Amino acid sequence: MSALNNIILVAVGILLTVASIWYGQNHHLLPASAADSAPLFDSLFNSTITVATGIFLIVQGVLIYSAIRYRKRRGDEGDGAPDHGNVLLEIVWTAVPAIIILWLGVASLDVYQAINSGVDAGGHAHSGMAMAMEESSYEAKDPSYAYTPVVVSGGEVGQPDLVVQVQGMQYAWVFTYPESGLVASELHLPLNKRVRLDMTALDVNHAFWVPQFRLKQDVIPGRETHLEFVPSKLGEYPIVCAELCGPYHGVMGGQLFVDTPEAFASWQEEQILAARSDGSTLALAPEVQPESAFAKAQHHRLGIPEDIHVLHRQFGSQSSG
Ligand SMILES: [Cu+2]
């Protein structure tokens, strides 16, 4: 009988292990992975799901088994057998979670450091004055639209091929390509090139999040934060603000396009041509139009009332219909 019990116990253990490993690899809880940072994150997530599934099945299994096996029988009015605890069991159920949490902490730190390698993780603090000077340097230098497309080289690992300045504001993202002076409301990135985002906020805290890249980073006024990665899959991905930043936080989003290098180059050329043919093209002529006007266009697109600009005193916004 005891031998049979042991066999059943081993069989249940094998079944639990197989079920946990299978679910850890087939949960479909994550969106497609589209950057080099994603597989690192995903393998940790899958391991966590495997362990969590095992614990879930054990706990629920023991609960259901006990409820059935030790249920009150008809006519049974007596107490259960006296029990003074089980030292071995208590050691096991303390040690096992402690080991799991320790492993999870070390493995998470490992992945975090791998994803942030090559990036000054904390960014560096700026004074308000330094910040204001930095903002003015975002403007294109040449007023005659003599932009040149960003040349994307195949730089060595750890050396970004492309740097994009990201500005978060209530309730939009603005992307500046400093090499060409291009300012856009969409983020276009070339496939398989190392990209660094230099990010700052104009008003309150925001957070730049691309679920398909498994990257999320706070974007803070008066301070520059960074993300560095290699987009690894062509496509269009949502950019989400992951920090409650005001009443219209929920609509603060954007689009990220991972293009072939050729498509990326032609997108840039299109933008530059548009700027040449129409001097008022706001997104391409930051020296002509203040950034507040760009924000206004975003607000219009998102259906946000224009008087929200009253909140944007730092832009000196002049509302108009
Ligand atoms: Cu935001």
Side-chain angles (χ1 to χ4, degrees):
M1 190 61 188
S2 171
L4 180 67
N5 276 352
N6 285 344
I7 291 168
I8 290 172
L9 213 60
V10 169
V12 168
I14 291 170
L15 209 67
L16 277 179
T17 308
V18 170
S20 305
I21 291 171
W22 179 84
Y23 188 66
Q25 301 298 319
N26 296 284
H27 51 73
H28 302 302
L29 293 171
L30 294 171
S33 87
D36 64 335
S37 43
L40 291 168
F41 179 96
D42 291 3
S43 68
L44 176 63
F45 187 80
N46 291 351
S47 309
T48 310
I49 287 288
T50 302
V51 172
T53 304
I55 292 172
F56 176 81
L57 291 177
I58 290 169
V59 170
Q60 297 307 314
V62 169
L63 264 177
I64 291 166
Y65 171 82
S66 302
I68 295 168
R69 175 83 174 75
Y70 301 107
R71 70 188 184 281
K72 185 181 174 222
R73 312 296 167 116
R74 194 185 298 274
D76 180 6
E77 299 296 334
D79 289 334
D83 194 342
H84 294 281
N86 186 325
V87 175
L88 181 66
L89 198 61
E90 286 182 30
I91 289 172
V92 169
W93 76 39
T94 304
V96 170
I99 290 166
I100 290 172
I101 288 169
L102 210 66
W103 160 76
L104 198 57
V106 171
S108 300
L109 193 68
D110 225 37
V111 169
Y112 178 80
Q113 284 175 339
I115 288 176
N116 285 282
S117 62
V119 176
D120 174 15
H124 37 273
H126 295 282
S127 70
M129 183 61 78
M131 193 58 212
M133 286 163 70
E134 256 185 33
E135 270 174 41
S136 68
S137 74
Y138 284 178
E139 291 169 12
K141 275 94 191 160
D142 190 344
S144 64
Y145 307 117
Y147 298 119
T148 44
V150 177
V151 180
V152 179
S153 63
E156 69 258 37
V157 177
Q159 195 66 26
D161 301 310
L162 174 68
V163 175
V164 184
Q165 288 162 343
V166 178
Q167 285 173 301
M169 69 177 85
Q170 289 169 319
Y171 297 91
W173 297 102
V174 178
F175 307 102
T176 306
Y177 295 75
E179 268 189 62
S180 62
L182 203 64
V183 181
S185 62
E186 291 173 348
L187 180 57
H188 282 252
L189 299 172
L191 181 71
N192 290 332
K193 298 289 180 184
R194 180 159 288 274
V195 177
R196 193 182 78 216
L197 303 181
D198 294 343
M199 305 189 290
T200 191
L202 297 182
D203 37 37
V204 299
N205 285 4
H206 301 277
F208 182 91
W209 180 32
V210 181
Q212 284 78 2
F213 286 13
R214 316 285 191 267
L215 291 174
K216 188 194 279 175
Q217 172 63 55
D218 280 356
V219 179
I220 304 162
R223 176 175 170 167
E224 197 171 75
T225 53
H226 307 274
L227 281 175
E228 194 170 319
F229 54 90
V230 179
S232 60
K233 194 176 177 200
L234 293 173
E236 182 185 339
Y237 307 107
I239 298 167
V240 184
C241 179
E243 183 72 58
L244 183 60
C245 59
Y248 296 95
H249 157 71
V251 295
M252 180 169 170
Q255 290 301 313
L256 188 159
F257 297 84
V258 178
D259 300 330
T260 60
E262 299 77 39
F264 177 67
S266 68
W267 171 74
Q268 277 192 94
E269 274 161 28
E270 270 168 34
Q271 298 294 303
I272 290 159
L273 281 175
R276 284 198 181 122
S277 65
D278 177 9
S280 70
T281 303
L282 159 71
L284 296 162
E287 74 284 15
V288 176
Q289 299 276 356
E291 261 159 336
S292 60
F294 180 84
K296 199 179 295 172
Q298 290 289 320
H299 291 169
H300 183 73
R301 181 175 68 79
L302 297 167
I304 296 168
E306 293 223 348
D307 54 7
I308 200 78
H309 286 275
V310 176
L311 299 170
H312 289 260
R313 294 196 196 286
Q314 65 266 53
F315 297 131
S317 200
Q318 313 287 308
S319 281
S320 65

